[in-house]
Amino acid sequence: MDNIRNFCIIAHIDHGKSTLADRILEQTFTVAKRDMEDQILDNMDIERERGITIKARAVHLNYKAKDGKTYVFNLIDTPGHVDFNYEVSRSLAACEGAILVVDASQGIEAQTLANTYLAIEHDLEVVPVVNKIDLPAADPERVCNEIENIIGIPAMDAPRISAKAGLNIEEVMERIVTDIPAPKGNPDAPLKALIFDSYYDAYKGVVIYIRVKEGTVKVGDTIRLMATGATFTVVEAGYMDTNQLVNTGVLQAGEVGYLTASIKSIGDTQVGDTVTLDDNPCAEPLPGYRKANPMVFSGIYPADGAKYGDLREALEKLQLNDASLTFEPETSIALGFGFRCGFLGLLHMEIIQERLEREYNLDLITTAPSVIYKVTLTNGETLYIDNPTNYPDPAIIREAQEPMVKAEILTPSDYVGNVMDLCQNRRGVFHDMQYIDDTRVSLKYDLPLNEIVYDFFDVLKSRTKGYASFDYELSEYAPSKLVKLDILLNGDIVDALSFIIHADKAYEKARKMVERLKENIPRQLFEVPVQAAIGGKIIARETIKAMRKDVLAKCYGGDITRKKKLLEKQKEGKKRMRSLGTVEVPQEAFMSVLKLDTE
Amino acid sequence: MTSAADTLGIYIHVPFCLRKCPYCDFYSCENSLQKRDAYVQAVCRNLDFYGDGRYVDTIYFGGGTPSLLTPKHIETILSHAGVVFELKKPEVTMEINPATVTAETLDGCRRAGVNRISIGVQDLNDEALRTLGRLHTAQQAIDTVYAAREAGFENISCDLMIGTLGQDSGRLRETLERLTSLPITHISAYLLKIEDGTPYAAQNMKQRVPNDDESADLYMEMTDFLRKHGFFQYEVSNFAKKDFESRHNCRYWKCLPYLGIGPAAHSCMDTRFYVPADLDGFINAEKQTVITEDSSPCTIEERIMLGLRLVEGIPLEWLGERQKHLAERFIKAGFMSQSDGRLSFTPAGFLVSNAILAEILYED
């Protein structure tokens, strides 16, 4: 056990986590350089494009250190985004140490900070590393100071490396050996292992990634998953090579590895749950488990109604690997049959939508994201509303509450004004402002979740030239003046466009929405009023004028086939439109009203 | 007794131009006048090939610029057609450009058998003609009308363009007043459409010309003005004094057969086919190459689409229940009207007929 090192890498997007992981893999000769595709740990297209690691992975490496001994490195990759905070915390709980990678030209960012605090909370040994020292703008001295000032760990002797150029990587390897403690635990104690990730494999069933804290597990053992109570017989136990599972038949205290046990549903293998033996269980599960609950909801509809079945199949397949995605059928008058989907957060939502479109080739219409509102009725009943359509009549509402978050934003001091403006606009309550150093500021705000669910991050980025970073955690529900805003086309409410909003912001939002719809709905044969209303009272209106001219003036011998094709094309175009009463609405119009503040 | 469907119309595409107009996407060649004799021979070879003694009651020389052919050329083609087909009091139309004809040419064409002249006037405002890239002035166009009249043509049509750069209600009205005072029998008035790939499209003309609303107003003013001056609308873009409708063009809208000869000419004879836009290929081939574009033309949808271009419209019995129901909505909205068992567009309806046809012809 003394020669095992379990660790993860904490870094901000683009600060070089994946590149460093690749270099570590190279150093251990786990992968021949020529066979290596860049950035092995990120193996989904979307992750690679966005430079974000979505799901944790783990890899088992052997390293021959300068002391002559060979060490087993278990590198556990962690998601880097706030949506996956809980998953990050479970990955950290599987480690004894964390390498903190900071970009020498940029310094610490909010997410890094949040995850580092999380690591310290979990008693992890944090090994700072300053990356990208070969960049002209690199200022490792300043960054080391920053690490010491903000995080409060010694950093002056931190390895200064360039993962990209392969500079000083060995120093990092040696620090892993010397600074990160070996795991502890008794192989003979009752089994106690933490699930930190899982995925569905079509042949093996669910593959669970575990860290054995106490005891031993072998092929043939009957295991029990303590939160769900489900029991299974272990089929394989072993570790993860860079590209395959190696079945060694046994895992014991201190080790990181995988189990398969013919598990059919990923719902049985919740991240954070404890695995124990059915006939010799441990006394209590590991602390910290909670079910990952969706926080953001949106309706997802196939653009072509005939693809409803395909969409359901695609969601089912995605759910096999993502227990935090929820969905249930819902019907919209405007959009037909679709699903109400729940996500951990915005990025999660965007990833799911993108995967549905890209991997399953579906054309989607999504409705504005909603959070869960808590509504107390005059009769004392409490409702949780995640779909604006279900929002009760204001006459029977005693009190409405919305979820709040505690947000921390790090920004260069030049943009403090912009950021404060933005938070103010989003109904933020200022808490604290601290200068991290001469040029960087940390701002703390309480913000309503519904103000940040869609475009907050995009707007924050655009107002700080991309420099600000942002992290949040859910706090509590707070009373709020909420109203339901409805959009009417030609006098009829379009249910898919309704949403819940704070009363003070309703007018501005209503005006923008009707303007945007007017721009994006083509002129029809009849004049179409576009209205926004609260409880039947119209608060904004635009009019789409009737179309006057679309004729082909000439239609002689050579034009007939062309004209016929044109009409057929027009018919095809109609298919991509939603008929709401007599109004034809293109799907772009639905999308156009989602992001109103970004430009 | 022969019915209309047993007769044939012949379209001859004459692909020569002195200069291409910047809005035009018809096939034509500049600097190719030396190929005219060979072209005329090829037209005659093809007439021989298709000739089956059938009754032909319309012949149309379109272009390009047919008036770049000599009267001798026209005579050769028409006399050849008369040998291999049975000409039955044919309406023989020739398109001419104002700047390209002399009194002698006109006289020669009339003697050769042409009895209807279609003049590409386009506008009677010199500024407008310049921006349209026309090679003639308003006065030259007017002179050409009178010259045609003096040469003995009694059936004269003028082309007009609506919605062109700088055109407003006042300027359109002036042109219409001058035009309707001329000794003409027919007006084809086209809303300018910027075709992709033309110089006009490249000049961003879509943003500069009157917008859809303004063009629609101009169109409505025009139909109104022409009706009051004795030119009755019989099709989306065609207006005629009584009994001077273009018989040839009506064939297209009534799904009657027509034979097209020449590069880029289209035909409808059991199938719809066309000849590639290649002058040399046409001249060199024994028989013109044809490409089928529609093997089962004149379906009910097509006849509805084309029939509704005519003011006389279509018999209501061509429509199914769903379509009749829809039509009622459009009648109520003022886009269509119904009388004597026929359904037709109003002028306002003509303007948005694509959207309406798409609804009528295709179910959701």
Side-chain angles (χ1 to χ4, degrees):
Chain A
M1 204 183 304
D2 285 348
N3 65 345
I4 297 176
R5 296 292 181 271
N6 299 318
F7 65 97
C8 59
I9 303 175
I10 295 173
H12 188 70
I13 296 166
D14 285 343
H15 281 200
K17 176 166 75 173
S18 301
T19 319
L20 177 59
D22 289 346
R23 291 298 160 265
I24 293 175
L25 264 50
E26 261 176 50
Q27 290 274 326
T28 59
F29 303 104
T30 311
V31 204
K33 197 171 178 181
R34 61 190 152 77
D35 290 340
M36 206 174 73
E37 201 181 343
D38 267 351
Q39 307 194 347
I40 287 168
L41 286 175
D42 292 351
N43 56 13
M44 276 199 273
D45 285 350
I46 299 167
E47 292 180 14
R48 201 162 291 182
E49 276 168 31
R50 294 175 173 233
I52 304 166
T53 310
I54 297 158
K55 296 286 284 180
R57 296 283 187 281
V59 63
H60 175 104
L61 317 161
N62 290 303
Y63 173 65
K64 192 157 191 284
K66 283 181 178 162
D67 63 10
K69 287 189 245 172
T70 299
Y71 290 83
V72 170
F73 282 8
N74 287 306
L75 167 54
I76 294 166
D77 201 17
T78 54
H81 192 272
V82 285
D83 285 1
F84 304 100
N85 240 342
Y86 172 67
E87 287 173 307
V88 177
S89 80
R90 294 307 84 199
S91 293
L92 295 176
C95 304
E96 278 76 38
I99 300 175
L100 167 64
V101 181
V102 184
D103 186 320
S105 66
Q106 308 224 342
I108 295 176
E109 305 287 352
Q111 279 155 33
T112 329
L113 197 56
N115 286 343
T116 308
Y117 286 143
L118 213 51
I120 293 170
E121 264 173 53
H122 283 87
D123 291 328
L124 263 57
E125 183 65 36
V126 176
V127 179
V129 167
V130 180
N131 191 19
K132 303 198 187 180
I133 53 160
D134 53 338
L135 287 185
D139 188 354
E141 211 57 34
R142 178 182 74 84
V143 169
C144 289
N145 264 318
E146 202 176 88
I147 295 171
E148 294 200 341
N149 289 343
I150 307 172
I151 302 174
I153 55 172
M156 278 316 172
D157 63 342
R160 300 178 181 192
I161 69 164
S162 165
K164 199 172 174 192
L167 211 66
N168 295 340
I169 305 300
E170 208 178 339
E171 207 183 325
V172 180
M173 305 298 281
E174 288 298 321
R175 285 297 178 90
I176 294 168
V177 172
T178 56
D179 291 12
I180 296 175
K184 296 190 193 75
N186 177 4
D188 301 321
L191 177 66
K192 198 185 233 186
L194 170 75
I195 301 180
F196 63 88
D197 195 11
S198 63
Y199 70 93
Y200 185 83
D201 179 283
Y203 300 102
K204 298 175 193 279
V206 178
V207 177
I208 51 179
Y209 285 7
I210 58 167
R211 158 68 194 275
V212 184
K213 296 281 190 181
E214 302 284 348
T216 302
V217 60
K218 302 184 299 295
V219 169
D221 286 348
T222 300
I223 52 166
R224 190 200 303 169
L225 308 181
M226 294 181 81
T228 58
T231 58
F232 302 95
T233 304
V234 175
V235 176
E236 285 183 27
Y239 62 83
M240 294 71 71
D241 211 340
T242 44
N243 49 20
Q244 62 185 351
L245 302 174
V246 180
N247 182 5
T248 58
V250 61
L251 283 170
Q252 58 180 12
E255 291 185 323
V256 170
Y258 80 98
L259 290 180
T260 68
S262 304
I263 303 170
K264 299 277 179 295
S265 164
I266 204 153
D268 285 330
T269 58
Q270 311 261 359
V271 167
D273 197 359
T274 304
V275 184
T276 190
L277 290 181
D278 195 41
D279 55 3
N280 181 21
C282 56
E284 54 191 27
L286 293 158
Y289 168 77
R290 69 177 162 86
K291 207 172 173 316
N293 287 319
M295 301 208 302
V296 178
F297 293 81
S298 122
I300 296 189
Y301 292 81
D304 174 1
K307 295 276 172 81
Y308 175 76
D310 295 358
L311 175 58
R312 187 184 49 225
E313 253 174 60
L315 284 166
E316 279 165 359
K317 280 187 186 151
L318 287 179
Q319 204 180 37
L320 279 179
N321 270 321
D322 187 349
S324 48
L325 166 69
T326 65
F327 63 93
E328 57 185 50
E330 107 176 338
T331 320
S332 150
I333 298 161
L335 301 178
F337 294 103
F339 296 92
R340 192 82 194 156
C341 300
F343 309 96
L344 295 175
L346 298 184
L347 180 76
H348 189 212
M349 177 171 85
E350 282 183 35
I351 288 165
I352 296 291
Q353 286 171 5
E354 228 172 295
R355 291 189 66 186
L356 288 170
E357 291 186 336
R358 221 188 269 195
E359 295 169 27
Y360 296 91
N361 208 13
L362 290 164
D363 220 344
L364 303 176
I365 301 179
T366 51
T367 65
S370 173
V371 301
I372 304 178
Y373 297 96
K374 190 170 157 186
V375 177
T376 309
L377 303 182
T378 45
N379 66 7
E381 194 186 344
T382 300
L383 302 176
Y384 288 89
I385 308 289
D386 66 26
N387 186 342
T389 311
N390 303 330
Y391 201 73
D393 183 338
I396 59 162
I397 296 176
R398 184 197 296 159
E399 187 186 57
Q401 297 196 359
E402 63 180 328
M404 303 294 292
V405 301
K406 291 195 178 304
E408 174 162 17
I409 297 162
L410 294 191
T411 175
S413 44
D414 293 352
Y415 305 114
V416 165
N418 290 356
V419 173
M420 291 179 91
D421 255 6
L422 171 64
C423 291
Q424 205 77 36
N425 279 338
R426 300 303 180 98
R427 298 188 283 128
V429 176
F430 173 80
H431 262 280
D432 191 20
M433 175 165 104
Q434 273 184 343
Y435 273 82
I436 295 169
D437 56 29
D438 295 347
T439 58
R440 302 209 327 142
V441 172
S442 152
L443 288 164
K444 288 194 172 126
Y445 272 89
D446 281 351
L447 282 158
L449 180 62
N450 90 349
E451 293 287 347
I452 61 169
V453 284
Y454 210 78
D455 57 357
F456 183 82
F457 194 58
D458 293 342
V459 180
L460 178 69
K461 283 281 175 192
S462 74
R463 292 201 187 173
T464 59
K465 299 216 163 88
Y467 284 114
S469 59
F470 162 64
D471 189 60
Y472 67 86
E473 62 179 310
L474 211 55
S475 53
E476 75 257 297
Y477 275 87
S480 180
K481 281 195 299 180
L482 299 172
V483 293
K484 180 186 168 201
L485 187 63
D486 291 316
I487 299 294
L488 294 84
L489 283 182
N490 213 16
D492 297 325
I493 291 182
V494 182
D495 58 357
L497 293 176
S498 296
F499 57 98
I500 297 164
I501 188 169
H502 192 268
D504 293 350
K505 310 195 82 177
Y507 279 87
E508 194 199 341
K509 176 92 168 184
R511 194 177 44 71
K512 278 189 186 162
M513 289 224 12
V514 294
E515 271 171 19
R516 193 62 71 87
L517 285 168
K518 183 192 174 183
E519 285 162 22
N520 283 279
I521 297 175
R523 294 168 70 172
Q524 322 262 317
L525 286 167
F526 310 89
E527 182 178 289
V528 178
V530 184
Q531 296 161 305
I534 296 174
K537 186 183 162 220
I538 306 294
I539 61 167
R541 175 188 168 126
E542 290 280 344
T543 305
I544 302 168
K545 284 195 291 177
M547 169 170 63
R548 290 286 309 281
K549 167 188 160 242
D550 73 345
V551 67
L552 283 189
K554 272 186 196 180
C555 187
Y556 297 116
D559 306 312
I560 294 168
T561 305
R562 188 158 69 135
K563 169 146 171 124
K564 219 163 83 175
K565 285 192 180 135
L566 188 110
L567 285 176
E568 275 162 19
K569 218 168 107 187
Q570 198 153 340
K571 171 188 75 171
E572 280 306 307
K574 265 169 71 95
K575 266 195 191 164
R576 291 178 59 82
M577 304 267 226
R578 295 284 163 165
S579 289
L580 306 182
T582 51
V583 186
E584 305 275 337
V585 183
Q587 65 193 72
E588 297 79 54
F590 288 98
M591 304 313 279
S592 73
V593 295
L594 293 181
K595 295 198 177 188
L596 289 177
D597 294 338
T598 22
E599 64 262 26
Chain B
M1 186 72 193
T2 50
S3 82
D6 299 326
T7 64
L8 190 64
I10 296 176
Y11 174 82
I12 295 167
H13 191 75
V14 185
F16 303 103
C17 277
L18 290 180
R19 191 176 81 189
K20 289 279 295 181
C21 297
Y23 51 84
C24 177
D25 71 339
F26 285 103
Y27 176 64
S28 75
C29 307
E30 297 171 331
N31 307 318
S32 298
L33 290 181
Q34 73 283 2
K35 296 178 183 168
R36 283 179 299 178
D37 290 347
Y39 163 81
V40 169
Q41 280 171 25
V43 170
C44 291
R45 276 202 307 279
N46 279 288
L47 285 170
D48 285 348
F49 177 80
Y50 290 105
D52 56 1
R54 211 187 311 193
Y55 280 118
V56 165
D57 66 355
T58 67
I59 297 177
Y60 195 104
F61 291 92
T65 313
S67 50
L68 289 175
L69 293 182
T70 64
K72 181 71 195 148
H73 288 138
I74 301 288
E75 194 199 335
T76 305
I77 292 171
L78 288 178
S79 59
H80 214 87
V83 172
V84 296
F85 289 104
E86 185 70 33
L87 299 189
K88 188 187 168 198
K89 290 188 195 159
E91 172 197 273
V92 182
T93 306
M94 188 168 110
E95 292 177 348
I96 63 172
N97 263 351
T100 60
V101 282
T102 61
E104 291 75 36
T105 324
L106 285 165
D107 186 58
C109 290
R110 192 188 54 75
R111 285 168 193 279
V114 176
N115 54 28
R116 184 171 180 273
I117 288 289
S118 171
I119 305 174
V121 172
Q122 315 308 358
D123 207 313
L124 287 176
N125 174 293
D126 283 334
E127 174 64 31
L129 288 170
R130 261 194 302 279
T131 51
L132 283 170
R134 303 294 293 181
L135 291 169
H136 60 87
T137 62
Q139 192 53 50
Q140 281 174 312
I142 290 168
D143 292 347
T144 305
V145 171
Y146 282 110
R149 184 73 196 174
E150 272 156 33
F153 287 103
E154 291 179 353
N155 192 354
I156 300 172
S157 176
C158 290
D159 281 357
L160 188 64
M161 290 191 89
I162 305 293
T164 54
L165 187 67
Q167 190 173 60
D168 58 16
S169 172
R171 209 178 81 181
L172 173 65
R173 201 181 168 83
E174 275 171 37
T175 287
L176 288 172
E177 272 165 3
R178 297 177 78 181
L179 193 62
T180 51
S181 68
L182 298 175
I184 60 172
T185 50
H186 187 280
I187 294 170
S188 297
Y190 305 114
L191 286 156
L192 176 69
K193 179 164 184 287
I194 314 285
E195 303 286 352
D196 289 342
T198 60
Y200 253 33
Q203 291 161 23
N204 201 22
M205 200 54 93
K206 263 180 198 163
Q207 271 66 53
R208 296 163 58 195
V209 297
N211 65 27
D212 281 357
D213 287 359
E214 292 158 348
S215 296
D217 287 339
L218 293 170
Y219 177 88
M220 295 299 283
E221 279 179 53
M222 173 191 72
T223 56
D224 195 49
F225 184 97
L226 291 180
R227 190 182 60 250
K228 285 177 182 154
H229 289 76
F231 289 84
F232 299 102
Q233 185 169 23
Y234 68 99
E235 195 260 357
V236 174
S237 304
N238 284 284
F239 304 79
K241 290 198 166 153
K242 196 167 176 307
D243 296 330
F244 281 97
E245 295 87 2
S246 162
R247 274 157 53 197
H248 182 82
N249 286 340
C250 282
R251 300 190 78 90
Y252 299 130
W253 306 314
K254 292 179 173 172
C255 271
L256 295 172
Y258 53 93
L259 168 65
I261 292 177
H266 288 249
S267 304
C268 182
M269 309 199 340
D270 301 326
T271 64
R272 284 193 197 282
F273 57 87
Y274 67 94
V275 181
D278 173 8
L279 175 58
D280 292 335
F282 174 75
I283 287 173
N284 293 330
E286 190 56 30
K287 178 202 168 249
Q288 65 185 11
T289 307
V290 297
I291 297 166
T292 304
E293 57 181 342
D294 188 347
S295 52
S296 52
C298 302
T299 56
I300 185 67
E301 287 81 14
E302 204 170 296
R303 287 196 294 155
I304 291 171
M305 168 186 105
L306 294 168
L308 280 172
R309 292 190 71 87
L310 293 165
V311 167
E312 68 177 43
I314 56 166
L316 265 175
E317 62 256 27
W318 286 8
L319 300 181
E321 280 314 304
R322 182 191 69 89
Q323 295 169 316
K324 279 184 192 159
H325 188 74
L326 267 176
E328 268 166 38
R329 224 178 80 205
F330 295 125
I331 290 169
K332 223 174 265 171
F335 294 131
M336 297 186 115
S337 65
Q338 184 191 329
S339 67
D340 301 331
R342 297 183 76 88
L343 179 71
S344 55
F345 278 120
T346 61
F350 277 136
L351 279 170
V352 290
S353 51
N354 274 1
I356 293 178
L357 282 170
E359 290 219 22
I360 287 185
L361 291 181
Y362 305 108
E363 277 194 65
D364 287 337

